Amino acid sequence: MLKRILLFTAISAQIAVAQPKSKVTVTDLTRIKQVGGIELSPDGKQAVYTITTIESNSDQKADGRPEEYDYKTHIYLTSLKPGDSRALTHGAESARQAVWAPDGKRLAFVRTVKGKSQIFIMPLDGGEAWQLTNSNYGASNPLWSPDGKRIVFTGGVTMNQMLTDSLLNPDKGGPSWSLEKPGFANNDFVKVDKKIKPNPDGSLAEIRAYLAKDVEDKKAKVINRLNFQGEATTEPDITFQHLYVTDVAENAKPKPLTRGFESFQAANWLPNGQGLLAVTDRDTLKHPDREQDNAIVFVPADGSGKLTMVLGEAGKSYGAPEISPDGKQLAFLVSPSEGVNFPQIGLATLNGSTASNPQLVTFDRAAGNLVWTEVATVAKGKKATSSYAIYFTASSNGGIPLYKLDPATRQVTQLTDFDSGVTGFDAANNQVVLAKTEVANPSELYVADASAKSQTKLSNHNDWVAQRQLSFPEKHTYKNSLGQTVDYWIMKPAFFEASKKYPLLLNMHGGPTAMWGPGEASMWHEFQYMCSQGYGIVYANPRGSGGYGIAFQRANIKDWGTGPAEDVLAAESAAAKEAWVDTSRQVITGGSYAGYLTAWIVGHDNRFKAAFAQRGVYDLTTFLGEGNAWRLVPNYFAYPWTPEAKVLDANSPYTFVQNIKTPLLIKHGENDLRTGPIQSEMMYKSLKILGRPVEYVRMPGATHELSRSGNVRQRIDRLLRIYEFFERYIGPEAQGLSQK
């Protein structure tokens, strides 16, 4: 019997090995689990992290309606041993932003209650999580004090709430900066006399009260601010982010640490617990929509509200203050406030509420996610001296490597490769825990030594991918007309056969400062899906992309069309020379800035059989008014009323609309205020008038983030529309071939 069992096991193993791999399907999107929110415990023996999943909405399915999906995020605990992790939170309501108490025995995390974020405390030695805050303004971004007795958090306060909050705004007056309401010399109009009753036929004061009631009842939006476009709707009023502190005890009453008509973010405790560093507007007398300079300030923990500027300078934006464990050094990010830039790492000596000798680190990439960690303790006589390192990530050359900075020498060392992307990490006790994306797996958790070279896979959240036939990109380079090296990648169809010919898809990134490559996570599923459908793909990082230094990023100033088009088309032309490419079946797509570039290219080149322009910008003058990303216009070009304004028309795809003959599918989210749907409507209507083959898809309720974090059915719809539209022109039906 034992022999039979062993023989059966061996045969089963052989069958499993021989099992052919299947293609990546469109609904595999719902199977991808994203790792994030990594926090090592104080003793370095455990870590918490989050998993974001896409779950089928069972209520919809039970009612027989089309399947809908919900995003869920929950907190997991790992002992840093492979396969040893467990969910700490469950259920319909997501949990996020988990942080360890200094004693390592409790967690604080955030969960939504009645539509508002609130902070919960979870004991790890047993017992249920309990709700710490019940703030009308919500509570998020919890930070334990060094002694573990208090938590600082952020609350979002609307303008109307500010006007009536006696703690944040004791005199209940308006801000010191002008609300810019025409015809009023000051902000006295914000003070409401409740004795005056709304009356449309009454006095001027009663008419004003009536109009104010219309705004309150959402019958009108009155806009006086400059940046009134959010991501999904117009926002006439500003929301201010304030810092609060509360004791970690049931029924504790939070008190504000910051006040007034300004916002605070990126808070960080000083090790002595006497206060925090945070980021706010440098000039509090300017309207927040107009002030682009940020400063780092000291916020005392006693609630006195007496702020001290730590780092600030006209024309610069300081952010991300990170304090060394001994409190003697400050790492930060800084960049010019206007123009085409990215932040650089700075280091300064810190003495409580003051910083001195700030110096920049030489590193020509956009750094982020700075994390201090102790790397060595050296005994000197009777004293022990600690040395520290700063870990951080930066998009670079198609990947998102992890880097290590030595604060003493200001030398940067790259720890991981360009073929993967570190999407989250924490470092302590000479080890690093990181979330990584790569072509072979979209997201998993790893633990490594301090050099990040010896990586051990801890999780298996996306091991299902091993059963899919994947396409692995091949890297190539091109020297453009500016003498710059442009990286591009070619992906063969997933089930490639050398004897066959395949269509080629040129897929382009947005930004324009985005960067694609094997280590960039957002396109993992889309690339693999299209390759599984029998398409080859070529994608490039043209001039203007991030990840290649400031000179490369600025190479498309006043040139969004001609230069970048040269770069992506050179990559496409090189890919088209591959023996397996059917040059009569070439198609093109891109979103946001790449929606722009798609329209630009088909207005200047006729090689593509079909094109799909997604959530793009097509007329730069219109974009100034319609999109919340409007500062791209002056940063890259000029204002429309200046002598240099001709550059806007010269760089607008809409200027060349009459030249577009390529069949074009245009998509936009109805609530996309980053680029604005009127851009798409102008292109569609004009092409329709011209009698060109064009189709327009509007996504109800969708924002600019549709393809990354939008409604899941709409994300699936988008991918299917790309495939279906292209098949009309290059599929079997278009070629007169049978699909049987």
Side-chain angles (χ1 to χ4, degrees):
M1 177 63 75
L2 179 59
K3 289 183 178 179
R4 289 181 180 178
I5 292 173
L6 292 173
L7 179 62
F8 176 77
T9 302
I11 293 172
S12 298
Q14 290 176 1
I15 292 173
V17 170
Q19 200 71 256
K21 292 185 177 182
S22 60
K23 70 179 185 178
V24 172
T25 66
V26 73
T27 54
D28 277 341
L29 173 68
T30 66
R31 302 187 67 180
I32 297 174
K33 299 179 179 181
Q34 295 289 347
V35 179
I38 302 168
E39 288 273 340
L40 271 162
S41 62
D43 62 7
K45 295 180 179 179
Q46 301 179 94
V48 290
Y49 64 99
T50 59
I51 289 290
T52 299
T53 59
I54 296 174
E55 306 290 343
S56 177
N57 188 313
S58 55
D59 293 338
Q60 290 275 114
K61 203 170 183 179
D63 292 344
R65 290 176 284 175
E67 193 164 22
E68 291 282 358
Y69 302 87
D70 298 315
Y71 293 98
K72 302 290 183 188
T73 299
H74 282 291
I75 300 166
Y76 283 66
L77 177 70
T78 174
S79 65
L80 305 184
K81 296 175 182 176
D84 185 18
S85 65
R86 61 186 175 91
L88 293 179
T89 63
H90 308 81
E93 200 60 62
S94 292
R96 56 200 181 277
Q97 297 180 6
V99 287
W100 292 88
D103 61 10
K105 297 178 180 179
R106 297 163 293 166
L107 291 175
F109 67 92
V110 173
R111 176 174 274 159
T112 301
V113 179
K114 297 179 180 178
K116 293 185 182 297
S117 297
Q118 303 294 350
I119 296 170
F120 287 71
I121 304 297
M122 176 183 290
L124 291 178
D125 56 0
E128 294 292 324
W130 54 276
Q131 186 173 337
L132 174 66
T133 65
N134 189 25
S135 171
N136 291 331
Y137 303 145
S140 58
N141 305 308
L143 289 169
W144 291 89
S145 62
D147 61 8
K149 296 180 180 179
R150 297 165 292 168
I151 283 179
V152 161
F153 64 88
T154 305
V157 189
T158 67
M159 175 67 79
N160 285 338
Q161 290 170 329
M162 281 290 300
L163 293 173
T164 57
D165 190 303
S166 57
L167 292 178
L168 298 176
N169 181 25
D171 65 3
K172 297 186 180 179
S176 55
W177 39 267
S178 172
L179 285 166
E180 301 182 1
K181 192 172 181 70
F184 291 88
N186 53 48
N187 295 330
D188 287 345
F189 64 87
V190 301
K191 296 180 180 179
V192 178
D193 187 346
K194 294 184 179 180
K195 296 178 182 178
I196 299 175
K197 302 300 180 184
N199 183 359
D201 299 317
S203 65
L204 182 59
E206 290 171 328
I207 289 172
R208 285 175 175 161
Y210 183 87
L211 295 175
K213 190 69 170 68
D214 280 349
V215 172
E216 182 183 333
D217 293 341
K218 296 182 172 31
K219 300 298 182 185
K221 286 185 176 181
V222 179
I223 297 170
N224 288 296
R225 59 180 298 202
L226 175 61
N227 294 334
F228 62 91
Q229 290 143 325
E231 285 296 295
T233 186
T234 52
E235 299 172 353
D237 293 325
I238 300 173
T239 294
F240 304 95
Q241 300 296 319
H242 278 288
L243 300 177
Y244 288 80
V245 66
T246 181
D247 291 334
V248 185
E250 293 190 55
N251 302 315
K253 188 175 181 180
K255 65 177 180 180
L257 295 181
T258 58
R259 298 174 178 81
F261 294 85
E262 51 188 312
S263 291
F264 298 83
Q265 56 191 340
N268 203 318
W269 278 99
L270 289 170
N272 60 17
Q274 294 179 3
L276 305 97
L277 300 188
V279 177
T280 189
D281 287 346
R282 189 185 71 87
D283 188 347
T284 59
L285 298 180
K286 278 188 180 180
H287 192 296
D289 287 355
R290 297 188 181 277
E291 173 59 304
Q292 297 187 68
D293 299 345
N294 285 332
I296 296 173
V297 296
F298 170 75
V299 181
D302 59 8
S304 65
K306 296 179 180 178
L307 308 184
T308 305
M309 184 180 292
V310 177
L311 288 172
E313 186 178 347
K316 292 186 179 180
S317 184
Y318 287 83
E322 294 293 333
I323 304 166
S324 63
D326 62 3
K328 295 180 180 180
Q329 298 179 81
L330 172 65
F332 57 90
L333 297 177
V334 62
S335 69
S337 302
E338 298 184 21
V340 179
N341 304 288
F342 56 68
Q344 293 180 278
I345 302 174
L347 293 169
T349 301
L350 188 64
N351 183 12
S353 61
T354 61
S356 60
N357 194 31
Q359 297 183 33
L360 296 182
V361 173
T362 301
F363 182 70
D364 195 20
R365 296 291 187 270
N369 308 309
L370 310 181
V371 174
W372 284 91
T373 184
E374 186 174 327
V375 293
T377 302
V378 180
K380 289 187 177 182
K382 295 182 179 180
K383 293 184 178 180
T385 302
S386 297
S387 63
Y388 304 100
I390 299 170
Y391 286 83
F392 65 93
T393 56
S395 294
S396 184
N397 300 71
I400 308 175
L402 182 69
Y403 294 88
K404 184 178 181 180
L405 167 65
D406 181 343
T409 63
R410 299 202 297 279
Q411 293 298 306
V412 174
T413 304
Q414 181 179 335
L415 302 181
T416 61
D417 56 47
F418 295 136
D419 291 328
S420 61
V422 176
T423 57
F425 75 94
D426 196 13
N429 289 28
N430 290 309
Q431 63 183 344
V432 180
V433 178
L434 56 91
K436 184 172 71 173
T437 186
E438 54 189 338
V439 177
N441 192 305
S443 187
E444 293 293 359
L445 190 72
Y446 296 79
V447 65
D449 61 13
S451 67
K453 301 304 179 188
S454 303
Q455 297 183 14
T456 301
K457 184 167 171 279
L458 296 177
S459 67
N460 54 5
H461 298 296
N462 289 299
D463 276 1
W464 59 270
V465 170
Q467 282 118 39
R468 298 293 188 267
Q469 183 72 33
L470 302 180
S471 176
F472 285 78
E474 301 167 357
K475 183 179 177 179
H476 302 265
T477 60
Y478 155 73
K479 189 79 74 173
N480 69 17
S481 57
L482 298 178
Q484 298 169 320
T485 299
V486 174
D487 287 348
Y488 67 95
W489 289 261
I490 299 173
M491 299 176 70
K492 293 177 180 176
F495 296 89
F496 176 77
E497 296 179 37
S499 61
K500 291 186 177 181
K501 294 279 191 176
Y502 299 91
L504 180 65
L505 166 61
L506 172 59
N507 206 331
M508 302 175 295
H509 73 64
T513 60
M515 179 210 72
W516 280 355
E520 203 281 323
S522 69
M523 293 300 290
W524 188 95
H525 177 253
E526 181 170 329
F527 284 163
Q528 295 300 336
Y529 170 70
M530 292 303 293
C531 287
S532 284
Q533 295 298 95
Y535 285 68
I537 295 175
V538 57
Y539 62 89
N541 289 323
R543 68 192 74 178
S545 301
Y548 295 90
I550 194 64
F552 193 89
Q553 186 168 306
R554 289 173 175 166
N556 65 341
I557 291 176
K558 290 184 167 58
D559 178 19
W560 271 17
T562 303
E566 174 203 314
D567 294 350
V568 296
L569 290 178
E572 187 275 340
S573 295
K577 293 177 182 177
E578 296 281 322
W580 52 267
V581 173
D582 183 346
T583 56
S584 69
R585 293 192 291 157
Q586 299 183 77
V587 290
I588 182 173
T589 190
S592 194
Y593 164 72
Y596 162 103
L597 199 53
T598 299
W600 176 274
I601 288 172
V602 297
H604 293 79
D605 191 291
N606 295 317
R607 76 183 71 182
F608 298 100
K609 290 292 185 181
F612 183 20
Q614 310 170 49
R615 63 192 192 283
V617 170
Y618 309 114
D619 180 77
L620 293 171
T621 299
T622 307
F623 177 44
L624 179 75
E626 198 190 4
N628 66 19
W630 64 269
R631 290 191 190 275
L632 291 172
V633 175
N635 285 347
Y636 279 91
F637 301 102
Y639 284 112
W641 53 85
T642 63
E644 299 85 8
K646 290 182 180 179
V647 72
L648 298 178
D649 286 342
N651 278 270
S652 292
Y654 185 73
T655 301
F656 308 95
V657 65
Q658 72 279 4
N659 298 334
I660 297 176
K661 295 181 174 63
T662 305
L664 182 62
L665 177 62
I666 303 172
K667 181 199 73 69
H668 225 117
E670 287 193 341
N671 288 17
D672 181 351
L673 296 187
R674 198 178 306 175
T675 53
I678 297 300
Q679 296 278 319
S680 291
E681 292 182 359
M682 286 175 63
M683 287 294 288
Y684 168 73
K685 190 176 291 184
S686 299
L687 288 169
K688 203 70 176 174
I689 292 169
L690 289 166
R692 305 294 159 74
V694 62
E695 186 167 289
Y696 183 36
V697 178
R698 287 283 288 261
M699 295 290 196
T703 71
H704 200 73
E705 288 298 301
L706 164 66
S707 65
R708 293 177 280 256
S709 59
N711 176 275
V712 178
R713 273 190 65 193
Q714 289 182 327
R715 292 177 67 186
I716 291 172
D717 179 286
R718 170 188 162 274
L719 263 182
L720 292 176
R721 287 190 190 279
I722 295 174
Y723 171 66
E724 187 275 334
F725 187 74
F726 289 162
E727 286 293 291
R728 297 182 204 176
Y729 295 94
I730 63 170
E733 290 179 349
Q735 299 175 83
L737 301 176
S738 171
Q739 296 191 75
K740 293 181 181 179

